[in-house]
């Protein structure tokens, strides 16, 4: 079997899909994207296409190695996201050709389903208590929300009190046993992260996510001394080399590699194994489309330390299209009792509605994240 063609589709709301074709008619799908940089990643995919045409799609490890090491400059969001989508598609091809799910090729599943959490609210978490109760009523056992609005490097007690009040209201609304993930989204700098982490401790959070930006990860050393809440981080890390120091430093309890950013199935399986050796949990990042989610579930199926999966059904970013719109076997993501089942179909286990993808690609998107500013006019992290 030989790879014959790579086709990319920029589709709403903010996704990039990849179709990899072969001379035997077997097609694989991947989701290579950096949110807000879809066109750039699209170009990177087609740069890698030059090497892949005519190659055997089964040689995934070799192709990954060449795509990563074959350029003098390597790593980073764009390069690794391009590799990620290609890697997903190659695994999809191999599973389909052999008639088995990808997790069967990775040693076989060790779980039948995995807990999922649902996003609540939007970027500004000021009126989310009712949304939280509605999500719990639908069966979710865990939720996540953005923990604060703009937060300057040193900000006011009023900002802290507002953030804490929101979490207090949610905890009261949904009771003591529903998991709450609070995403600081890298909006918070070290001085205020210490304060917020300590003030939120009484609310028994499931985790605090990205308490500081990944480039400021040395600040975690101080933040962990102010809270017993597990610390999660990793959506803006892109390879096992990026995760190496995070794991060896020992300040992170949960890693969140994104299978559309951090090298795909091949690399994220290795990152997960590294984390397991440090007794660190795995919760893959995935506010993306159905291909990305299907890829995550293949890895969740075989990783002992995986405990929860992010998924974007109904997320506030999904304007106009949602994850089930692009697949024909919509029942594949079986949500029940706060869990989603591991797909059992060949390859990724999803059937992409190619005609619908082509139709929506005519509209495409130019999604960009908001630009926020503080009261003094200076740039604020979103």
């Amino acid at each position: 079997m030989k790879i014959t063609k790579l086709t990319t589709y920029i589709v709403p709301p903010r996704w990039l899909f990849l179709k990899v074709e072969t001379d035997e008619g077997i097609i694989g799908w991947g989701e290579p994207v950096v949110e807000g940089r879809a066109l750039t990643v699209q170009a990177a995919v087609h740069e890698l296409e030059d090497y892949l045409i005519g190659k055997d799609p089964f040689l995934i490890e070799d192709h990954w190695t060449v795509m990563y090491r074959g350029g003098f400059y390597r790593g980073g969001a764009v390069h690794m996201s391009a590799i990620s989508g290609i890697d997903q598609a190659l695994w999809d091809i191999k599973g389909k050709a052999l008639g088995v799910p990808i997790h069967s090729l990775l040693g076989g599943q060790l779980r039948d389903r995995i807990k999922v959490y649902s996003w609540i609210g939007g970027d500004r978490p000021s009126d989310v208590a009712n949304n939280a109760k509605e999500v719990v009523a639908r069966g979710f056992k865990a939720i996540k929300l953005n923990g604060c609005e703009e937060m300057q490097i040193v900000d006011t007690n009023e900002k802290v009190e507002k953030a804490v009040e929101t979490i207090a209201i949610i905890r009261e609304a949904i009771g003591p046993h529903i998991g709450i993930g609070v995403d600081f989204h890298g909006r918070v700098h070290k001085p205020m992260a210490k304060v917020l982490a300590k003030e939120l401790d009484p609310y028994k959070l499931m985790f605090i996510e990205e308490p500081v930006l990944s480039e400021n990860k040395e600040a975690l050393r101080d933040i962990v001394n102010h809270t017993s809440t597990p610390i999660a981080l990793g959506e803006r890390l892109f390879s096992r080399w990026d995760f190496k120091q995070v794991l060896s430093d020992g300040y992170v309890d949960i890693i969140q590699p994104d299978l559309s950013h951090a090298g795909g199935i091949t690399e994220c399986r290795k990152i997960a194994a590294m984390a397991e050796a440090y007794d660190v949990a795995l919760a893959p990042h995935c506010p993306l489309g159905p291909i990305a989610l299907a890829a995550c579930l293949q890895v969740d199926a075989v990783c002992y330390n995986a405990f929860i999966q992010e998924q974007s059904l109904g997320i506030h970013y999904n304007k106009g299209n949602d994850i089930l719109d692009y697949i024909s076997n919509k029942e594949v993501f079986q949500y029940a009792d706060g869990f989603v089942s591991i797909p059992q179909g060949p390859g990724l286990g999803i059937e992409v509605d190619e005609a619908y993808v082509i139709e929506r690609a005519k509209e495409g998107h130019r999604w960009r994240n908001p630009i926020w500013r503080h009261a003094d006019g200076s740039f604020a992290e979103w």
Side-chain angles (χ1 to χ4, degrees), residues 53 56 58-59 269 310 317:
I53 296 298
D56 179 353
F58 275 29
L59 302 179
R269 174 74 189 281
E310 181 173 26
Y317 301 120

Side-chain angles (χ1 to χ4, degrees), residues 18-94:
L18 166 67
K19 180 177 72 171
V20 177
E21 299 178 59
T22 67
D23 60 354
E24 294 188 13
I26 297 175
I27 292 171
W29 289 90
E31 194 167 333
V33 70
V34 173
E35 300 92 304
R37 298 287 186 271
L39 288 165
T40 314
V41 178
Q42 182 182 47
V45 167
H46 290 294
E47 288 175 338
L48 294 169
E49 178 183 21
D50 296 344
Y51 170 76
L52 293 166
I53 296 298
K55 299 294 193 302
D56 179 353
F58 275 29
L59 302 179
I60 299 171
E61 190 71 34
D62 183 56
H63 297 330
W64 198 100
T65 300
V66 172
M67 287 189 293
Y68 179 78
R69 297 182 182 274
F72 185 78
Y73 301 100
R74 57 190 68 167
V78 171
H79 181 206
M80 296 304 290
S81 296
I83 291 175
S84 297
I86 293 169
D87 181 81
Q88 293 167 5
L90 295 181
W91 279 108
D92 194 27
I93 289 169
K94 192 165 191 173

Side-chain angles (χ1 to χ4, degrees), residues 287-336:
L288 296 170
I291 303 169
L293 177 58
C296 287
L297 294 176
Q298 302 298 325
V299 171
D300 291 330
V302 300
C303 292
Y304 172 77
N305 52 335
F307 81 103
I308 200 164
Q309 176 59 56
E310 181 173 26
Q311 53 82 44
S312 70
L313 186 64
I315 198 172
H316 48 290
Y317 301 120
N318 293 355
K319 305 296 185 184
N321 280 109
D322 215 325
I323 61 172
L324 299 182
D325 296 340
Y326 288 103
I327 57 175
S328 54
N329 60 334
K330 301 181 190 303
E331 74 288 348
V332 66
F333 300 129
Q334 295 181 33
Y335 294 92

Side-chain angles (χ1 to χ4, degrees), residues 247-295:
L247 292 169
S248 64
D249 284 349
Y251 303 126
V252 171
D253 305 291
I254 303 162
I255 59 161
Q256 300 170 303
D258 189 309
L259 271 80
S260 285
H261 301 332
I265 292 168
T266 298
E267 184 72 350
C268 288
R269 174 74 189 281
K270 296 174 183 179
I271 293 167
M274 288 172 62
E276 185 182 352
Y278 285 92
D279 208 21
V280 170
L282 173 70
H285 181 254
C286 189
L288 296 170
I291 303 169
L293 177 58

Side-chain angles (χ1 to χ4, degrees), residues 103 134 190 268 316 320 323 348:
H103 54 74
E134 189 272 330
K190 176 183 173 181
C268 288
H316 48 290
I323 61 172
L348 288 168

Side-chain angles (χ1 to χ4, degrees), residues 26-319:
I26 297 175
I27 292 171
W29 289 90
E31 194 167 333
V33 70
V34 173
E35 300 92 304
R37 298 287 186 271
L39 288 165
T40 314
V41 178
Q42 182 182 47
V45 167
H46 290 294
E47 288 175 338
L48 294 169
E49 178 183 21
D50 296 344
Y51 170 76
L52 293 166
I53 296 298
K55 299 294 193 302
D56 179 353
F58 275 29
L59 302 179
I60 299 171
E61 190 71 34
D62 183 56
H63 297 330
W64 198 100
T65 300
V66 172
M67 287 189 293
Y68 179 78
R69 297 182 182 274
F72 185 78
Y73 301 100
R74 57 190 68 167
V78 171
H79 181 206
M80 296 304 290
S81 296
I83 291 175
S84 297
I86 293 169
D87 181 81
Q88 293 167 5
L90 295 181
W91 279 108
D92 194 27
I93 289 169
K94 192 165 191 173
K96 288 174 177 175
L98 298 175
V100 295
I102 292 166
H103 54 74
S104 179
L105 302 175
L106 297 174
Q109 67 187 60
L110 52 72
R111 60 174 50 85
D112 302 317
R113 57 183 187 157
I114 189 165
K115 185 183 287 187
V116 289
Y117 62 80
S118 178
W119 268 91
I120 59 169
D123 285 314
R124 300 180 181 273
S126 55
D127 59 345
V128 292
N130 287 334
N131 292 336
K133 288 193 288 187
E134 189 272 330
V135 164
V136 172
R138 287 194 278 123
F140 286 94
K141 301 294 193 296
I143 61 172
K144 189 171 86 172
L145 74 155
N146 284 317
C148 62
E149 300 179 8
E150 303 95 325
M151 186 75 71
Q152 281 191 293
I153 189 166
V154 176
D155 216 315
T156 64
N157 287 330
E158 182 183 8
K159 285 278 191 75
V160 173
E161 290 169 2
K162 185 177 180 181
V164 173
E165 181 184 16
T166 299
I167 302 305
I169 291 170
I170 292 172
R171 176 53 81 199
E172 182 178 1
I174 63 177
H177 303 307
I178 299 297
I180 301 175
V182 174
D183 189 356
F184 285 9
H185 217 246
R187 295 171 182 171
V188 185
H189 300 268
K190 176 183 173 181
M192 303 311 296
K194 293 191 297 182
V195 175
L196 271 173
K198 182 177 180 179
E199 293 297 318
L200 290 173
D201 220 31
Y203 301 100
K204 308 297 183 186
L205 303 178
M206 181 171 61
F207 57 76
I208 291 172
E209 179 173 336
E210 274 201 321
V212 291
L213 290 165
S214 294
E215 53 261 42
N216 297 327
K217 56 185 175 291
E218 68 281 351
L220 296 172
R221 158 184 80 230
D222 298 320
I223 295 167
V224 297
N225 292 323
H226 291 78
T227 181
S228 61
T229 301
I231 301 297
L233 181 144
E235 69 188 68
R236 288 187 261 199
L237 301 176
F238 307 113
S239 70
R240 72 199 95 142
W241 296 280
D242 287 351
F243 279 93
K244 182 165 61 172
Q245 185 179 348
V246 168
L247 292 169
S248 64
D249 284 349
Y251 303 126
V252 171
D253 305 291
I254 303 162
I255 59 161
Q256 300 170 303
D258 189 309
L259 271 80
S260 285
H261 301 332
I265 292 168
T266 298
E267 184 72 350
C268 288
R269 174 74 189 281
K270 296 174 183 179
I271 293 167
M274 288 172 62
E276 185 182 352
Y278 285 92
D279 208 21
V280 170
L282 173 70
H285 181 254
C286 189
L288 296 170
I291 303 169
L293 177 58
C296 287
L297 294 176
Q298 302 298 325
V299 171
D300 291 330
V302 300
C303 292
Y304 172 77
N305 52 335
F307 81 103
I308 200 164
Q309 176 59 56
E310 181 173 26
Q311 53 82 44
S312 70
L313 186 64
I315 198 172
H316 48 290
Y317 301 120
N318 293 355
K319 305 296 185 184

